[in-house]
Amino acid sequence: MQLVVENLSVSYGNIKALHGISFSVDQGEIVTIIGANGAGKSTTLRAISRMIPSDPGSKIEFMGDDILKYNTDKVVSKLGISHVPEGRMIFGNLTVTENLTLACFARKDSDGIARDKKWVFDLFPRLDERKDQLAGTLSGGEQQMLAIGRALMSRPQLLLLDEPSLGLAPKLVEKIFETIIEINKSGVTIFLVEQNA
C-alpha cells in the first residue's frame, strides 16, 4: 500500500467533520471519493497533506512513513505528495511560467526542472501558448490546468486532486480527465475527490 489512512477524524472546533474513516491507495492506482458538498472530501485531502490537523488516534502513512510527523512543506518535498486544492489557488499576479517555477522551491536540478516544465507544456499545450500571461487572466479551465501542472513540477509520487471538474464546461472536464489518466500512466498515483460521478 502506498497510502494508508486509518480512523481519520478531523474536528473544526466542536464540529466533527470526519468520523474515523479508513481507506488505502495502492501504488499506480486512481482512487476516487465521491460525495455531496459538506461530506468531508476536501477535509480528507487537507488532512493528508497536513494543511489541517487530524484528531488524536488518526493514522496516515505514506510508503510506511508516518505523515503526521511532517509539516505541509515536507509532505511535498520529502514524501512526494502534491495537492491541487479546490478553487485552484494559483498565484494570479504571477505568469504561468512563474507559477510553475515557484513549485520547484525544494528542487536543485535545473535540467530536471526544464524537462518537467516541457512535460507540463506537452500535457497542456494551452499553457505553453500562455506561458508569459498572468495566471489571473486565464480562463477557469486554463487555471485548472495550471494548478495541476504546478503540482506536477514537484515530481509527486501521489497527486491529490480536489474536484478538478468544478465549474468547467463538459468538454474541458473530458480533457482534464484524459490528462489525469495520462499522468497516472506516467507512474503517478492519483487520489481525487469529486461530486460529479
Side-chain angles (χ1 to χ4, degrees):
M1 299 294 168
Q2 191 174 35
L3 176 68
V4 176
V5 175
E6 290 179 5
N7 196 37
L8 177 60
S9 297
V10 174
S11 300
Y12 295 107
N14 293 329
I15 299 168
K16 195 85 148 170
L18 292 178
H19 304 268
I21 66 167
S22 298
F23 61 89
S24 61
V25 180
D26 278 330
Q27 192 162 359
E29 283 189 314
I30 297 177
V31 174
T32 307
I33 293 180
I34 297 174
N37 235 355
K41 302 181 307 297
S42 295
T43 298
T44 301
L45 294 187
R46 288 185 191 124
I48 293 168
S49 62
R50 302 291 289 134
M51 293 170 71
I52 57 171
S54 51
D55 293 348
S58 300
K59 176 182 168 186
I60 309 172
E61 287 186 353
F62 183 71
M63 305 294 276
D65 207 350
D66 179 10
I67 288 179
L68 298 177
K69 69 182 182 186
Y70 293 101
N71 291 326
T72 303
D73 64 319
K74 296 299 183 208
V75 169
V76 177
S77 64
K78 185 169 173 48
L79 297 179
I81 300 173
S82 289
H83 183 171
V84 179
E86 181 182 8
R88 302 166 191 119
M89 303 294 186
I90 56 161
F91 297 96
N93 60 337
L94 299 179
T95 66
V96 167
T97 301
E98 289 167 338
N99 267 272
L100 296 176
T101 303
L102 191 61
C104 304
F105 70 94
R107 294 179 62 181
K108 306 286 184 245
D109 59 323
S110 55
D111 289 346
I113 290 169
R115 273 193 308 275
D116 289 344
K117 205 173 284 182
K118 182 186 179 319
W119 180 50
V120 168
F121 287 146
D122 287 346
L123 282 171
F124 301 111
R126 192 78 164 174
L127 292 182
D128 193 18
E129 294 169 13
R130 304 211 180 323
K131 62 185 167 198
D132 298 320
Q133 188 171 323
L134 289 179
T137 64
L138 299 174
S139 71
E142 291 164 347
Q143 288 183 11
Q144 186 63 58
M145 292 172 194
L146 178 57
I148 294 170
R150 184 181 60 192
L152 293 175
M153 289 302 295
S154 64
R155 284 204 175 153
Q157 294 183 67
L158 174 64
L159 183 61
L160 307 175
L161 294 166
D162 195 346
E163 298 201 41
S165 71
L166 186 67
L168 301 184
K171 202 166 190 111
L172 267 177
V173 170
E174 193 176 310
K175 169 64 179 155
I176 292 289
F177 282 108
E178 284 171 4
T179 305
I180 289 170
I181 290 168
E182 202 172 323
I183 292 165
N184 176 250
K185 285 179 181 173
S186 78
V188 179
T189 304
I190 309 281
F191 181 57
L192 66 93
V193 301
E194 265 293 342
Q195 284 187 58
N196 184 354

